[in-house]
Amino acid sequence: MLDKVEELLQNVDTFTASTKEEVESFRIEYLGSKGILKSLFSEFKNVDPSQRKEFGQALNQLKKNAEEKVKSLQSNLEDQSLSEQKYGDLTRPGEPIALGARHPISIVKNKIIDVFNRIGFTISEGPEIEDDWHNFTALNLPEYHPARDMQDTFFIEKSDEAKDNVLLRTHTSSVQVRYMENNEPPIRTISPGRVFRNEDISARSHCIFHQIEGLYVDTDVSFADLKQTLLFFTKEMFGKSKIRLRPSYFPFTEPSAEVDIYWGLETETDYRITKGTGWLEIMGCGMVDPNVLKNCNIDPTKYSGYAFGMGIERIAMLLYQIPDIRKFYENDVRFLEQFKSAL
Ligand code: PHE
């Protein structure tokens, strides 16, 4: 008899259930009015009096364990169904996580970097807060030079003497000055970065934008080298192979030129963005002025160089036919989601 109760105790211990029905039939089997315990208690009178105490204790234990088992299984199942109501089926596959997209300015910047990397240009970066020397003076723009007004400047500290001014860089040419000060030719570098100009915000211009400027300094660098590099760039970047160089002026290059690419006149948009000419201006360039080389401790009798600079927003607007520069800074996901790139 006792052995049987021992065995039942073990069965109760190991019993588990995954549905309410299973718990209920367990309850009926052990604790029901015709259940195992009922019938065991009715055997009580047949047990040898010397064993009754032990048998009684074992039965009570069995009853208690069975009751506790039912209670704990019921509450477990209850918790489970509550969490299912709250979270649904916890075993279902997860929702796909939306993938972010790179900002169009980053995509275009990376594309431009990729083109120049392929012909040996390294990347250089510098501070956005600059001193007067690196943004102006070293670039052949001494104090009172009228060309300082070509780029309206945000000053952080304006002193009586221009050389003490602290400002937000107006172009990344400042990075090239730093690079030349710290490296010996041959130099082949491009400087991407954010620049600042105190200009009214409109569809075509913004007070914060991005530039990539390039610099090549070595022995015997000629204007022909510059033109070939630019031709390679426009072919790779736009798939267009006709460019023209229009004479222009920058204080830090001599001679200087504006680069136009022949965009074509196939669609109505082509007419609009090229103002009916088929030509589009994409950047400024020129041969580094010997004064700039001298300011950066490079001997202009030994070395020559070329430089160019372009606005990344402008290139992105052309590539993606974006009519308004302000779109880049509004962080509107409907706009940003449209750009996907491996770069
Ligand atoms: N620094 C010039 C600008 O910001 C661009 C440029 C760079 C022009 C190099 C010529 C050579 O407008």
Side-chain angles (χ1 to χ4, degrees):
M1 254 333 201
L2 259 175
D3 287 352
K4 192 170 175 211
V5 179
E6 281 300 327
E7 197 189 314
L8 288 167
L9 265 168
Q10 275 212 350
N11 288 353
V12 168
D13 243 21
T14 53
F15 178 76
T16 57
S18 51
T19 64
K20 280 189 175 156
E21 290 72 28
E22 279 170 36
V23 181
E24 183 57 12
S25 64
F26 172 83
R27 192 190 64 78
I28 293 168
E29 187 187 352
Y30 281 84
L31 303 162
S33 55
K34 288 177 192 150
I36 292 172
L37 274 151
K38 193 87 178 176
S39 74
L40 283 175
F41 274 114
S42 64
E43 299 267 344
F44 198 71
K45 53 183 182 306
N46 305 329
V47 174
D48 187 284
S50 66
Q51 288 190 355
R52 276 195 190 156
K53 189 176 170 202
E54 216 181 327
F55 183 66
Q57 277 173 349
L59 273 193
N60 279 334
Q61 187 66 48
L62 180 64
K63 185 174 178 222
K64 196 174 148 230
N65 285 9
E67 281 169 353
E68 273 170 8
K69 188 63 154 198
V70 169
K71 223 187 254 169
S72 85
L73 286 175
Q74 276 172 345
S75 87
N76 275 355
L77 287 170
E78 202 105 306
D79 285 355
Q80 207 174 317
S81 85
L82 263 182
S83 73
E84 262 167 33
Q85 278 165 28
K86 205 159 157 193
Y87 303 113
D89 176 5
L90 290 175
T91 63
R92 73 192 190 281
E95 304 235 340
I97 296 169
L99 270 188
R102 228 184 272 289
H103 193 281
I105 295 299
S106 299
I107 295 175
V108 172
K109 180 182 85 177
N110 292 344
K111 277 189 174 159
I112 298 172
I113 289 175
D114 184 55
V115 173
F116 285 108
N117 270 348
R118 275 186 264 151
I119 49 173
F121 282 77
T122 56
I123 299 171
S124 49
E125 286 181 338
E128 292 178 352
I129 297 175
E130 262 302 0
D131 50 37
D132 184 85
W133 170 258
H134 291 97
N135 197 78
F136 290 126
T137 307
L139 287 160
N140 210 23
L141 280 151
E143 198 173 353
Y144 304 120
H145 193 291
R148 282 188 176 222
D149 295 337
M150 280 167 77
Q151 301 172 351
D152 288 317
T153 312
F154 284 116
F155 290 96
I156 291 175
E157 272 167 43
K158 202 159 179 174
S159 310
D160 294 340
E161 293 204 55
K163 68 175 177 35
D164 298 325
N165 287 345
V166 180
L167 46 95
L168 293 175
R169 67 182 179 197
T170 56
H171 49 191
T172 52
S173 304
S174 55
V175 181
Q176 309 187 326
V177 173
R178 288 179 181 276
Y179 195 89
M180 285 190 279
E181 284 173 341
N182 295 308
N183 293 276
E184 304 252 311
I187 288 171
R188 249 178 302 176
T189 187
I190 45 171
S191 319
R194 201 153 49 150
V195 299
F196 308 83
R197 290 187 196 173
N198 194 356
E199 278 176 22
D200 289 340
I201 296 171
S202 72
R204 303 215 63 79
S205 69
H206 209 283
C207 55
I208 300 176
F209 61 100
H210 299 77
Q211 273 192 331
I212 290 195
E213 298 212 353
L215 173 72
Y216 182 23
V217 182
D218 202 348
T219 48
D220 303 320
V221 177
S222 72
F223 203 89
D225 297 324
L226 170 62
K227 190 170 178 192
Q228 283 311 309
T229 306
L230 297 177
L231 198 55
F232 173 76
F233 169 71
T234 47
K235 270 188 196 159
E236 295 296 308
M237 195 69 194
F238 304 102
K240 313 264 182 198
S241 50
K242 203 159 133 192
I243 62 172
R244 73 179 179 196
L245 297 164
R246 260 184 305 112
S248 182
Y249 171 77
F250 297 103
F252 27 86
T253 48
E254 181 60 34
S256 305
E258 255 6 294
V259 184
D260 297 342
I261 54 174
Y262 189 70
W263 194 257
L265 279 175
E266 276 155 35
T267 66
E268 215 160 295
T269 317
D270 293 347
Y271 270 90
R272 185 171 47 79
I273 62 177
T274 68
K275 301 198 179 86
T277 64
W279 291 94
L280 268 179
E281 181 192 319
I282 54 161
M283 64 172 116
C285 68
M287 300 307 290
V288 182
D289 193 294
N291 278 338
V292 177
L293 295 176
K294 222 185 293 162
N295 287 339
C296 302
N297 305 320
I298 291 176
D299 181 358
T301 59
K302 211 166 138 198
Y303 296 107
S304 55
Y306 64 69
F308 54 87
M310 68 192 105
I312 300 178
E313 278 80 351
R314 187 170 167 74
I315 307 285
M317 286 165 82
L318 289 176
L319 273 180
Y320 298 126
Q321 310 270 304
I322 297 164
D324 191 325
I325 195 171
R326 290 168 291 199
K327 288 255 178 284
F328 292 121
Y329 317 113
E330 285 167 358
N331 269 340
D332 183 338
V333 284
R334 291 166 303 177
F335 172 71
L336 297 173
E337 265 173 4
Q338 299 175 58
F339 303 94
K340 304 264 181 276
S341 169
L343 276 178

